[in-house]
Amino acid sequence: MPHRIEELHRRFDAELKQVTGLEALLDLRDRYLGREKGILSQELKRLGRLPKDHRPEYGRLANQLKDYIEGEIQSLTARLRQQEEAERLNQEHIDLTLPGRAYPTGRPHPLVLVKRQIEEIFVKMGFTVVDGPEVDTDYYNFEALNMPKDHPARDTQDTFYLSEEFLLRTHTSPVQIHYMEKHQPPFRIVVPGRVFRRDNPDPTHSPMFFQVEGLVVGEAVSLADLKGTLEFFLRELFSPDTRARFRPSYFPFVEPGAEVDISCIFCRGTGCRMCKMSGWIEILGAGMVHPKIFERVGYDSQTVSGFAWGMGVDRIAMLKYGVDDIRLFYENDLRFIEQFS
Ligand SMILES: [Zn+2]
């Protein structure tokens, strides 16, 4: 009966050729080599029914075929596994040798750094950070701050007018009026923001720059409070040994008014080019809020008093970082901007 085995051999070879995947191969293996119902197991069971002298030869051939099938299935399994692995790798294709993509991380602009530092110092003293509109009316920017239409102080703040009524604010002081109209004392606020003036750009002028305004209003707020607050602030901002000097000055919305100088941070007061040999650097303007301002927002100027100040963030940043041209802050040259942290 060897031709039965030969036929099985041919059938297996033909079926093996059809196999394209591992799953089909496992089916084929089960069908031929399955312990109970496998074709080959069935075939070997027939052995007992054969004439005695045929049995050894038939058994040998059947076992030979079994070995052959096992071998073929093993080698095809290995090939298919390799092939599947290659396909998977090809699909997933991640080249681990490629260098990673560098994501540039941003950092705060030097003016933002200084603004934040100023805010932090005042927040520590119990101030609230407040902001207001950059486009405002003539009333809030000038009139309400004691600068009527013909007031000479208007000339010092060359203004971008948008219309007869509207303008780009020339200082952050109008926010004082907006705030007082909506709140009752006592309060302490600090107001950072952009301001605009029709200045031609040069090393110390920019048509847009940043100010921080401060306002404290309550009962019995005194000039001593103003001095103490600003001295503390300036020591925190620059260094603990910074000295402050108050010189009488005039601003329409305060009475009395003062310019505040700090001991030169470059020469510690001995005199250098930066302080024009005076040992002092002008840093901000301040004063006690003019009673007329309080009356305009409906406060009783007999019982309420307060102080205010304003300063340029750009100027402070220039001093702190030793920058000698304000325009550098606005040119967006990363080589410059990335130096600060
Ligand atoms: Zn100096």
Side-chain angles (χ1 to χ4, degrees):
M1 299 288 279
H3 71 276
R4 264 185 79 92
I5 301 289
E6 271 169 34
E7 199 201 310
L8 268 181
H9 193 139
R10 275 196 300 277
R11 223 173 91 193
F12 171 77
D13 280 345
E15 283 184 48
L16 191 68
K17 268 186 197 157
Q18 307 291 317
V19 169
T20 53
L22 271 171
E23 220 169 298
L25 187 62
L26 289 178
D27 277 352
L28 186 70
R29 190 191 62 188
D30 285 349
R31 218 144 26 77
Y32 277 85
L33 303 176
R35 203 161 281 188
E36 289 294 317
K37 295 182 176 159
I39 294 171
L40 224 66
S41 308
Q42 301 283 343
E43 209 51 45
L44 285 167
K45 272 181 200 158
R46 290 166 47 89
L47 216 56
R49 280 180 272 143
L50 288 176
K52 261 199 175 149
D53 54 337
H54 283 168
R55 286 181 200 169
E57 172 69 357
Y58 192 82
R60 194 180 58 79
L61 287 170
N63 276 318
Q64 224 172 40
L65 177 60
K66 194 181 162 207
D67 289 346
Y68 169 77
I69 290 174
E70 271 171 356
E72 285 297 293
I73 283 175
Q74 233 168 44
S75 67
L76 186 57
T77 304
R79 263 205 322 278
L80 286 174
R81 284 226 169 101
Q82 236 168 27
Q83 200 177 311
E84 278 186 10
E85 177 79 0
E87 269 167 31
R88 198 170 56 79
L89 283 177
N90 198 33
Q91 266 169 17
E92 291 177 356
H93 194 75
I94 297 170
D95 185 351
L96 296 172
T97 64
L98 272 179
R101 249 171 237 159
Y103 290 97
T105 44
R107 63 183 74 197
H109 189 281
L111 292 179
V112 171
L113 285 172
V114 172
K115 184 183 83 108
R116 276 188 199 159
Q117 201 193 347
I118 293 170
E119 285 173 7
E120 271 165 26
I121 297 168
F122 283 110
V123 165
K124 200 156 69 178
M125 286 193 272
F127 281 72
T128 305
V129 180
V130 170
D131 64 8
E134 289 173 3
V135 172
D136 216 325
T137 60
D138 187 274
Y139 174 78
Y140 284 101
N141 196 77
F142 291 122
E143 294 249 11
L145 291 159
N146 261 354
M147 285 180 276
K149 285 263 189 283
D150 54 354
H151 199 286
R154 285 190 175 211
D155 298 340
T156 63
Q157 301 188 5
D158 251 338
T159 311
F160 286 111
Y161 279 93
L162 302 174
S163 67
E164 189 92 349
E165 191 190 359
F166 289 101
L167 47 76
L168 295 178
R169 66 179 178 191
T170 58
H171 49 180
T172 41
S173 306
V175 184
Q176 292 188 16
I177 308 295
H178 287 294
Y179 191 85
M180 286 193 283
E181 283 179 346
K182 295 190 192 97
H183 298 84
Q184 287 301 312
F187 58 78
R188 279 170 274 188
I189 59 166
V190 62
V191 186
R194 273 189 198 89
V195 300
F196 308 84
R197 293 189 194 179
R198 281 176 35 177
D199 280 324
N200 287 324
D202 68 24
T204 54
H205 293 89
S206 162
M208 185 206 77
F209 56 102
F210 285 83
Q211 276 192 342
V212 174
E213 183 93 5
L215 177 67
V216 174
V217 180
E219 275 180 34
V221 174
S222 71
L223 192 63
D225 296 321
L226 161 65
K227 260 196 103 176
T229 303
L230 291 181
E231 276 174 355
F232 175 83
F233 162 69
L234 293 168
R235 282 198 298 267
E236 289 280 302
L237 185 65
F238 291 104
S239 65
D241 61 350
T242 303
R243 284 169 294 130
R245 177 173 82 170
F246 291 68
R247 286 182 289 111
S249 185
Y250 170 76
F251 304 101
F253 33 96
V254 289
E255 181 57 39
E259 300 254 26
V260 181
D261 303 333
I262 52 166
S263 49
C264 178
I265 56 174
F266 302 100
C267 65
R268 304 269 154 218
T270 57
C272 69
R273 192 176 57 85
M274 297 302 282
C275 58
K276 298 187 185 101
M277 303 312 288
S278 71
W280 296 95
I281 288 178
E282 192 184 318
I283 199 82
L284 55 85
M288 300 305 292
V289 179
H290 200 293
K292 270 192 179 166
I293 309 278
F294 285 145
E295 281 155 25
R296 210 166 265 126
V297 296
Y299 289 179
D300 179 0
S301 61
Q302 295 297 311
T303 59
V304 159
S305 59
F307 63 86
W309 74 93
M311 59 197 163
V313 177
D314 307 68
R315 177 160 168 72
I316 289 170
M318 286 168 82
L319 288 172
K320 272 183 80 83
Y321 295 128
V323 174
D324 59 5
D325 193 329
I326 192 174
R327 294 171 294 188
L328 289 167
F329 290 132
Y330 300 107
E331 283 168 355
N332 287 333
D333 184 339
L334 289 178
R335 291 169 304 178
F336 171 76
I337 288 173
E338 282 180 345
Q339 295 175 57
F340 306 94
S341 58

